[in-house]
Amino acid sequence: MIDTLKEAVLFSKDIAGFGLLEFRAFDLENNVKTLHSWVTMPYATYWGMLDNSVEQVYQAYKEVHEAQFHEAIMGYYNGEPAFLIEKYKASEDAIGKYYNVKSSDYGMHILVGPVTKPIKNFTWHIFSSILEFFFTDSNIERIVVEPDVRNDKIHVLNKKGGFKYAKEVQLPHKKAALAFCNRNDFKQALEEVNGSTEITVVDTNSAHLKTELWERANKHLVAKAISEFSHELLFEPKFEYSKKEVNFYSVTNNVQNGTYFFSAVKQSLDHWYIDADSIYKKDATKKVNAFEFIIEFQEILKIPANLLPTYLEEISSTLSGLAYKFKNQKYSSNELVTEGFQAIEHAMIEGHPCFVANNGRLGFNTDDYEKYAPETDNPFQIIWLAGHKSKAVFTAVEMLNYEKVMQQELGLKAIVHFNKALEKLNKAVEDYIFIPVHPWQWKNKLVNVFANDIANQDLIYLGKGDDMFSAQQSIRTLYNVTDPNKFYTKTALSILNMGFMRGLSPYYMQSTPPITEWISNLLENDTYLKSKGFTMLGEVATVGYRNDLYEPLGKSLAHNKMLSALWRESPHSKIEPQEKLMTMAAFLHRDADGTSFLLELIKASPYNAQQWIKKYLEAYLSPLLHCFFTYEMVFMPHGENLIMVMNDNTPVRVLMKDITEEVIVFNENMKLPEHVDRLFTKTSDTMKVLSIFTDVFDCFFRFMSSILDKDGVLPENEFWKLVADCILEYQNENPQLANKFTQYDLFISEFDRCCLNRLQLKNNKQMLDLGDPIESLSLVGVLENPIAKFN
């Protein structure tokens, strides 16, 4: 018997200090009972055979045994069965229908059996040996895996082994993450792993913190800092010299050798395009470091000493995020053109274009980052609580009610399960409202801050829902990957990010659906806006829970914004089959190699740059102009707040989101219904029109025109002429608004410079007075209007 087994060994590896691994063909008669004992244990849920009998397992693997391009292999550790491998030719399997399959692609499934006592690096030694076994086959160039998106443990293992995650696919039996690994990927992964004595979670979470990536991230962020701080007149770059038609400048602080030199081009709206690789310090032996840069310029930047550590922590988090994105890029800009909505959403490298510290997320640890950051793209389940109606309030638009929302978002099975949980506690189901909660919020905030409510069973933990969600760029907005036609879920997430704690007010939640209905009616009854296809994603239902212990201390307190949620319409309900979705932030995206996604989109469209930009402005700017001049209503139309609807890689219309928190009505003569009246803000004509100049011109077009100009696609002067043409065309089409065009002149020679970083530097914990946001803006100097000359 021993001799027979030796002859059946397909591959073996004796690992020093660990033991002997042997791979043998799966023996149906002798191995099936062992395999059955594994696949029916709870840990093997993703194998899909929890309820199978021995006979069912036997029949399943008999089919594998008889298949021409599929085989099962039993793995032994020191002579005992320890793991199962399924090896198959991808082009002959159903998975081959979901990507551009190659004949040299082979797939694998792995199930590691339970162990009686922990063995150091047990799973890793098995996994890496399996990959080595596969690559001993000269017919295999690449391994493909398609694990369930919820299987967090295998994702970590796959990434350690060198697998590159490509996209998510909906298979008949699961939502799968498609990933690939070639010989070079595996080799590099082994080199990285072998540099440490053991594989730990910390190693995984810090894998992107490599010297080369870190230095690159620091140069990138310092370039941005010099650019934006110069734009806001905190710096005054000094011209040094020209070399081969390239201008070099410097900025200096009060520290010895505190001068930074760089090449730059000054563009419209005082935008400084800076070559990150050109930056160097006067002391050329010192590497460019963003921490040192901020500390050296602290006095000039006027950062309060007590807030400097927090700001530096946000800088550190932003740097770490950049390094992670550089290392883990899945798609180049060219490849991203053919990808879907969520692949583009998770590929973004830059945060808000104006802010230097734009990726703080203070409160997340390294595990949280891997689980919940948009760029890591790891779907997760949300937690559901039951909140007593004495403190919880559900509100919805007229066409919806609580039962409809719960049936759609939870499903009957989960509702029955949650109801039984309440009944088991002798609680009346009708006295409670179900509340979706971000897992981080529950563990890190709610269990502590709402301990009194939990102890008194005003708040009851129900468990996780069935659906998987993915964090969007707006990190507390969650996209349902299990069923994209369901609503977005937006929850309170009490992390400090870019000048604010990201809570949701339970008091504002009650006014959100009425505001949605009011704006929806306004848009639907406006002929011009309908012709442009301009609409919004309605925030159709909300739930808010009040904390009566903290409420007396002030409703604006962060502790009173920790437990609320809203449901927003899915963009998939707003498009035609031939149309495609993407965040408008993508138009400013450059991949890890610096290639512009905007350029690749234009190249892939049937239009030249001028035609493409004209269509974009018709879809985006024209509706904003109409809302402003007709209703004196403005939004916050920056990149991540807009979803572009594309056809032939060309913008055709826009979907506004995050409406109810960021819309302002200036019109004193417009009668606003109850709850909606909180949108009205009284201010000067200058401040009203500044919303267009700041949010559209300075915070988006400034960066877009720079990209087009630097990439040689469209000179910035031509871009701004197209902007002017779009405005003039709207004005010519609407002569009835002539008085408004004079009152709010978009062609004035200059306008106030709104400085966002100055606000964050002054108070990075709450950079605006939310009770009076307009009056708390920081206005310093003026900007020349780039369209003034075209009137």
Side-chain angles (χ1 to χ4, degrees), residues 84-104:
L84 178 81
I85 311 164
E86 289 185 19
K87 176 184 176 184
Y88 61 91
K89 188 174 176 65
S91 60
E92 302 298 326
D93 186 82
I95 193 63
K97 300 175 183 177
Y98 293 86
Y99 76 101
N100 187 18
V101 68
K102 300 177 181 179
S103 61
S104 57

Side-chain angles (χ1 to χ4, degrees), residues 185-197:
D185 294 330
F186 178 50
K187 179 183 176 182
Q188 291 180 358
L190 284 182
E191 289 174 353
E192 190 170 301
V193 167
N194 289 336
S196 61
T197 57

